[in-house]
Amino acid sequence: VTFDDMLNDHLATDQVVTNGMGLHGQRYSPLTTLNTDNVHQLRPVWAFSFGGEKQRGQESQPLVKDGVMYVTGSYSRIWAVDAYTGEQIWQYEARLPDGIMPCCDVINRGAAIYGDKVYFGTLDARLVALDRETGRVQWIKRVADYQAGHSITAAPIVIDGKLITGVAGGEFGVVGTIFAFDAETGDELWTRPVIEGHMGYVYENGEAVEHGITGGEAGQTWPGDMWQQGGGAPWLGGFYDADTHTLLIGTGNPAPWNSHLRPGDNLYSSSRLAIVPDDGSIKWHFQATPNDGWDYDGVNEVISFDYEDNGSVIKAAATADRNGFFYVLNRENGEFIRGFPFADKITWAEGLDENGRPIFNPAGRPGNPADVADERGESVQAYPAFLGAKNWNPMAYSQDTGLFYIPSNEWMMDIWNEPVSYRKGAAYLGAGFTIRPANDDYIGVLRAVDPRTGEEVWRHENRAPLWGGVMTTAGNLVFTGTPEGYLKAFDAVTGEELWGFNTGSGVVGTPITWEMDGEQYVSVVSGWGGAVPLWGGEVAEVIKNFNQGGMLWTFKLPSEYAQ
Ligand SMILES: O=C(O)c1cc(C(=O)O)c2c(n1)C(=O)C(=O)c1cc(C(=O)O)[nH]c1-2
């Protein structure tokens, strides 16, 4: 697999060699063989079990090259599988130490392939490079200290020979950092902490050379020493815009959650960053939630897309935030073009100003414990809940309809602040919360949203929270999974549900499609888990009967139904 193969992945129909089905992450396939007329004939051709006692959340997006599928699973496992038959070619399981600290389940979101290697990140914050043919280890790098709360859950990305990943650990007060390695040798190339005050480095002949302090200097948007454990973990990784040669990546919540301990904007937490892939410099930033007090991580994917406005082409990028707002940015300079709510109800902000900065509702912020005699500050009811109007699971963009298909949730929380101090390897929140559904009959909402107007063109409600990724195709289809176990297909224009198949466990993975020998295939992993069952509050009632799993399902449209 070459970098050109990756640059063309969104056009190629016989492979899926990038997370995002294209480096820009649009998750749009030009295939039309499978379409609204024949999708009811889509049927399973094989299923592969991840096996063992290790189940939990399966959030991976598979990759396909030359008839071989590469898929990761919970507990830092990876398999190569024959894409025609589902037979295993090899498997590799990372040896995890006791004491790993992923906040939100033992998940992995996928691999990267490049050259003759396949790469993935582990829950003890290592990167592993394996030979694609044999599964043999080529190199293993420790990226960050798992005992401080670091882990890797993201799919890494390869940009022009550089293997780039973010790390998780925001709930433990780590310093969110982006790391780049030589994909061939595993040599470190650069590091970029995303919190103001920390030094970035480039490595020359194995030596760390200072490459500029993030944000210029410490103390501008953080009080005292709070920047030193400021969080902002870029735990979802990023996408690449070839037009501007930029890595677009988001950063998580500031640490701790109690925002009264850190008055100021707390750059660059809960932000989107444009990074130069060659050396990790920051080109521009956009902060969705300054002084975040609700755990509104800003990690969600930033998807590059072009649209026409009054005859000129706008080079835009779009992102749907946990905080309930959808943002359209100019991807050349990060300027705010427009933003609008995509969630039904938002209480923490009254809207956005002309620069996209939130207009805070002071009554929407949980109170300062220092103001009251009690340990607990005043509790508020906040919409959306901390798990977000949209969490990690990626949306898709259709080049035909011009719509974004957003997997979102309608829920709320009671949230209050508490005093807290930093201790290595311990939770660093300073907040308590309970999460509740916003409506009686549904939490999940798959939304089709027009990025030019903010209009919700259609919606599909689901009883349980939606936690799987979305894919769309030129066959006018939108696919996503449900915790109830279904992989479903919808009409991209009308939202009509056209097909569904129950995989036997909740689908929180992200579907892909490709063709082999003129037949169109669809694959998705199934296995209920992720953050929802861990942090569920009153949402637990909705999901209590869902069983765990660990299967890779593959479907196809038999050739006799293709026309
Ligand atoms: O701040 C962090 O480092 C961090 C990491 C992760 C992760 O790596 O999965 C999640 C979160 N935060 C988080 O806030 C969250 O809601 C979440 C949901 C999930 C999931 O996979 O279901 N991971 C994470």
Side-chain angles (χ1 to χ4, degrees):
V1 176
T2 65
F3 189 46
D4 273 340
D5 292 333
M6 291 184 202
L7 289 167
N8 290 323
D9 201 33
H10 59 294
L11 304 171
T13 54
D14 61 346
Q15 64 174 35
V16 177
V17 298
T18 58
N19 177 43
M21 292 175 56
L23 284 166
H24 49 29
Q26 287 184 359
R27 300 185 187 279
Y28 167 84
S29 167
L31 280 169
T32 55
T33 313
L34 181 68
N35 55 52
T36 43
D37 292 334
N38 58 25
V39 67
H40 61 283
Q41 296 290 1
L42 185 64
R43 58 196 63 186
V45 284
W46 55 260
F48 174 81
S49 172
F50 292 163
E53 294 159 16
K54 295 175 174 170
Q55 298 194 335
R56 307 276 294 264
Q58 308 297 350
E59 293 187 358
S60 183
Q61 182 221 287
L63 301 171
V64 181
K65 181 67 178 168
D66 299 333
V68 179
M69 189 175 294
Y70 304 89
V71 64
T72 61
S74 55
Y75 293 97
S76 304
R77 295 173 294 166
I78 183 169
W79 295 264
V81 177
D82 184 315
Y84 287 95
T85 63
E87 271 164 46
Q88 176 174 303
I89 299 169
W90 53 256
Q91 66 174 312
Y92 172 84
E93 177 168 351
R95 254 207 225 194
L96 296 174
D98 292 338
I100 52 167
M101 283 187 273
C103 67
C104 310
D105 203 4
V106 287
I107 55 97
N108 183 280
R109 301 198 182 85
I113 53 180
Y114 180 65
D116 55 7
K117 295 186 186 57
V118 54
Y119 308 90
F120 78 117
T122 66
L123 292 167
D124 62 341
R126 290 167 202 258
L127 278 173
V128 178
L130 304 169
D131 181 89
R132 281 211 284 134
E133 241 169 71
T134 63
R136 278 200 204 104
V137 173
Q138 303 301 296
W139 53 258
I140 298 182
K141 276 277 150 165
R142 179 182 128 141
V143 178
D145 179 8
Y146 75 88
Q147 288 173 319
H150 285 104
S151 56
I152 299 179
T153 56
I157 185 171
V158 181
I159 302 173
D160 206 9
K162 297 177 183 67
L163 181 68
I164 301 177
T165 188
V167 290
E171 269 51 274
F172 304 98
V174 306
V175 175
T177 304
I178 308 165
F179 297 84
F181 298 84
D182 184 312
E184 186 56 37
T185 62
D187 292 340
E188 193 152 29
L189 297 178
W190 54 260
T191 55
R192 171 53 55 192
V194 303
I195 296 295
E196 175 189 288
H198 295 271
M199 181 65 78
Y201 291 93
V202 294
Y203 293 83
E204 286 170 13
N205 306 318
E207 265 192 49
V209 180
E210 291 185 353
H211 196 62
I213 294 173
T214 298
E217 58 179 299
Q220 304 178 93
T221 66
W222 293 80
D225 289 343
M226 296 301 286
W227 58 279
Q228 290 189 13
Q229 310 296 338
W235 54 268
L236 199 48
F239 290 108
Y240 176 66
D241 174 40
D243 257 6
T244 58
H245 185 48
T246 307
L247 171 72
L248 297 166
I249 189 166
T251 65
N253 60 288
W257 288 21
N258 179 351
S259 61
H260 299 283
L261 295 173
R262 44 175 171 73
D265 279 1
N266 314 139
L267 291 171
Y268 295 110
S269 66
S270 297
S271 298
R272 307 301 194 279
L273 300 179
I275 300 277
V276 180
D278 309 305
D279 63 5
S281 333
I282 299 175
K283 273 199 222 180
W284 54 256
H285 74 275
F286 177 83
Q287 189 175 40
T289 316
N291 193 222
D292 169 32
W294 305 267
D295 191 36
Y296 292 151
D297 296 58
V299 294
N300 289 355
E301 68 284 1
V302 185
I303 300 184
S304 300
F305 72 113
D306 294 341
Y307 69 93
E308 273 201 16
D309 190 22
N310 280 324
S312 56
V313 175
I314 310 293
K315 290 193 179 200
T319 189
D321 203 275
R322 264 160 91 139
N323 71 18
F325 289 97
F326 188 97
Y327 300 86
V328 181
L329 307 175
N330 177 331
R331 70 177 187 268
E332 293 183 300
N333 54 25
E335 267 170 29
F336 174 74
I337 297 176
R338 76 179 66 83
F340 45 81
F342 65 96
D344 289 341
K345 187 166 173 184
I346 295 175
T347 55
W348 66 278
E350 272 143 28
L352 304 176
D353 73 11
E354 72 276 9
N355 298 315
R357 191 182 168 85
I359 302 159
F360 286 106
N361 169 15
R365 184 179 293 271
N368 188 349
D371 290 346
V372 291
D374 199 354
E375 276 265 290
R376 267 192 192 192
E378 189 207 344
S379 175
V380 299
Q381 237 181 40
Y383 290 73
F386 67 98
L387 288 176
K390 174 185 174 298
N391 202 286
W392 75 272
N393 37 329
M395 60 184 182
Y397 174 71
S398 167
Q399 298 173 13
D400 304 313
T401 63
L403 302 176
F404 280 90
Y405 300 97
I406 310 173
S408 67
N409 293 303
E410 291 291 337
W411 43 20
M412 64 198 263
M413 63 182 166
D414 291 316
I415 180 169
W416 58 90
N417 289 318
E418 296 164 354
V420 68
S421 49
Y422 176 77
R423 196 160 49 83
K424 183 182 167 181
Y428 186 46
L429 300 188
F433 45 84
T434 46
I435 187 165
R436 283 190 266 142
N439 301 286
D440 288 340
D441 44 349
Y442 67 93
I443 300 172
V445 186
L446 177 64
R447 297 176 141 96
V449 169
D450 188 330
R452 288 154 301 191
T453 62
E455 187 198 350
E456 183 183 285
V457 177
W458 56 259
R459 62 149 76 186
H460 175 86
E461 292 163 0
N462 194 71
R463 178 150 165 76
L466 289 178
W467 217 249
V470 181
M471 165 180 84
T472 183
T473 78
N476 192 34
L477 294 169
V478 175
F479 285 86
T480 200
T482 71
E484 288 88 344
Y486 285 90
L487 177 66
K488 291 187 175 186
F490 302 87
D491 183 308
V493 171
T494 67
E496 189 191 345
E497 188 177 325
L498 300 174
W499 176 84
F501 178 88
N502 196 313
T503 63
S505 179
V507 177
V508 296
T510 301
I512 59 165
T513 189
W514 77 101
E515 69 181 347
M516 291 189 299
D517 304 332
E519 292 184 300
Q520 187 172 348
Y521 289 73
V522 173
S523 278
V524 75
V525 297
S526 157
W528 170 236
V532 178
L534 299 176
W535 301 101
E538 287 179 23
V539 173
E541 186 56 29
V542 178
I543 60 169
K544 65 175 193 267
N545 292 325
F546 297 167
N547 289 321
Q548 297 184 15
M551 295 285 277
L552 167 58
W553 283 92
T554 292
F555 307 84
K556 80 169 178 184
L557 181 72
S559 49
E560 61 264 37
Y561 299 109
Q563 76 292 96

